[in-house]
Amino acid sequence: MSDYLPRETLINILTRLPAKTLLRFRCICKSWLSLLSSPDFTSAHLRTAAAKTPLLLLRGYSLTGLTPRYKELYSLRSDDANFTSLLDLQCPFNTRAANFFRVVGSCNGVICLSDDLLGYTYTVILWNPAIRSEVFREVKLPEKLVGASPLDLAVTGYKDTISIFQYDQRGPYCCKGFTVWVMKEYGVEESWSKLFTGSLNGGVSTVLGFRKSGEVVVEKWDGTLVSCQPGKIKKMRIRGGKESFYLGTYAESLILLDEGKCVQTEDNGSSDEVDSAGNASVVRSLENNSLRHHLFAVSALNP
């Protein structure tokens, strides 16, 4: 592989490089292709990327009068005081309804999109913007949320554990406020605790997620974003189409999807294309998680 560097040193260097650079390096020789395609190297690269300064993936939908008009806008942002935009991502897919995708979730740098906001089109996409299966198990809700409407609950990650956003009397467009619940000890159902309750003038549209500071990013009823913590609300100077925003952590990865098989479609429910890596099982699990409104804890399998 190299006549000058020990294998361990070379791997240590390569795991620090961007995913797109490593994709080009796969063409150097067969030994590099074998190394860079191996599950062990993919996991090592993912761990290195995740250990860096965390990035946030923000998706919104442009409004009339802005440039470009009626377009999904994806960007990677630094979780700093200014929420600095670092990179704009171009989504290569289009919805059949010329609207925007529902973001089901993201894991290990792979984003799951579903074209079902204006009627189910049987199209689910797994997208790795920089270029395995998940285990799901059911976890009990906090005792005070038992019996709550699934439409009033949303699940997200919080540091090394999970959190629930509970909406207060959510209507078709907004709600009065929200409550943040956190599982303080991951996997221990008795550790659920109420973190804080928030409300905004005019109402809350969507609670998007956490920043590393513990602040919660919230979409207001008018499509503007604010950052909230107990007793403090800060404007973020970002505005987009109502209920079009998604916010989640992001790290580059080398997780590859077979060319031509990253989109799973069904025509009248008659087809079910899968790839050799079992990507269809990920799609089904993510979709079941959303459609059945259950709460799941997710842990990545070690390759």
Side-chain angles (χ1 to χ4, degrees):
M1 178 173 296
S2 174
D3 297 331
Y4 306 101
L5 292 175
R7 179 183 176 88
E8 293 75 13
T9 303
L10 181 62
I11 291 176
N12 188 33
I13 295 172
L14 292 175
T15 55
R16 300 172 188 272
L17 297 178
K20 289 184 178 180
T21 300
L22 294 174
L23 288 180
R24 293 196 296 267
F25 283 3
R26 295 171 70 200
C27 302
I28 292 177
C29 61
K30 289 184 178 180
S31 59
W32 279 47
L33 173 62
S34 176
L35 169 65
L36 300 178
S37 302
S38 68
D40 288 340
F41 183 84
T42 299
S43 296
H45 183 269
L46 182 61
R47 288 194 298 269
T48 301
K52 297 178 182 178
T53 303
L55 300 178
L56 293 176
L57 172 69
L58 178 67
R59 194 285 304 275
Y61 189 65
S62 64
L63 298 172
T64 304
L66 297 180
T67 302
R69 295 185 180 183
Y70 307 116
K71 182 179 178 66
E72 284 187 277
L73 303 177
Y74 292 82
S75 62
L76 292 181
R77 293 178 177 267
S78 174
D79 195 1
D80 56 19
N82 296 321
F83 208 54
T84 306
S85 179
L86 302 176
L87 179 67
D88 292 330
L89 302 175
Q90 299 298 322
C91 180
F93 311 105
N94 295 310
T95 66
R96 296 186 183 182
N99 203 310
F100 53 86
F101 290 101
R102 178 172 62 89
V103 182
V104 180
S106 64
C107 181
N108 293 345
V110 177
I111 305 167
C112 182
L113 307 174
S114 180
D115 190 6
D116 61 2
L117 285 179
L118 297 180
Y120 200 70
T121 63
Y122 303 98
T123 300
V124 176
I125 297 170
L126 294 178
W127 173 38
N128 185 334
I131 21 144
R132 170 165 121 182
S133 303
E134 279 70 33
V135 175
F136 296 85
R137 71 179 179 88
E138 192 166 342
V139 176
K140 291 182 180 179
L141 292 167
E143 194 170 319
K144 290 187 177 181
L145 298 186
V146 174
S149 169
L151 298 178
D152 291 336
L153 304 177
V155 184
T156 187
Y158 176 70
K159 296 182 178 179
D160 294 326
T161 183
I162 54 178
S163 173
I164 297 176
F165 298 138
Q166 177 190 13
Y167 293 95
D168 179 18
Q169 300 179 8
R170 194 174 195 182
Y173 302 108
C174 64
C175 66
K176 295 181 178 180
F178 62 93
T179 301
V180 180
W181 294 81
V182 171
M183 180 179 278
K184 291 187 174 180
E185 187 175 351
Y186 181 73
V188 180
E189 296 165 348
E190 294 74 20
S191 68
W192 280 115
S193 176
K194 183 189 292 185
L195 195 61
F196 71 93
T197 298
S199 61
L200 298 173
N201 291 333
V204 173
S205 176
T206 309
V207 184
L208 296 174
F210 287 96
R211 304 183 66 178
K212 65 180 180 182
S213 62
E215 298 176 29
V216 176
V217 179
V218 179
E219 178 189 348
K220 295 179 62 177
W221 65 274
D222 60 355
T224 58
L225 299 188
V226 295
S227 189
C228 303
Q229 56 181 313
K232 185 177 180 181
I233 299 174
K234 180 171 61 178
K235 295 181 180 180
M236 301 180 68
R237 298 181 180 179
I238 298 174
R239 187 166 184 258
K242 288 185 61 176
E243 298 184 339
S244 72
F245 284 105
Y246 168 82
L247 181 70
T249 56
Y250 178 81
E252 274 196 349
S253 79
L254 285 171
I255 295 178
L256 298 175
L257 305 173
D258 289 350
E259 289 80 3
K261 294 186 179 180
C262 61
V263 180
Q264 176 177 325
T265 62
E266 296 181 14
D267 295 325
N268 300 322
S270 60
S271 65
D272 188 12
E273 182 180 351
V274 301
D275 62 33
S276 59
N279 287 326
S281 65
V282 181
V283 174
R284 294 194 195 97
S285 297
L286 288 167
E287 278 300 287
N288 287 339
N289 173 41
S290 174
L291 295 176
R292 291 183 295 180
H293 304 290
H294 283 322
L295 168 62
F296 290 93
V298 183
S299 59
L301 288 175
N302 292 323

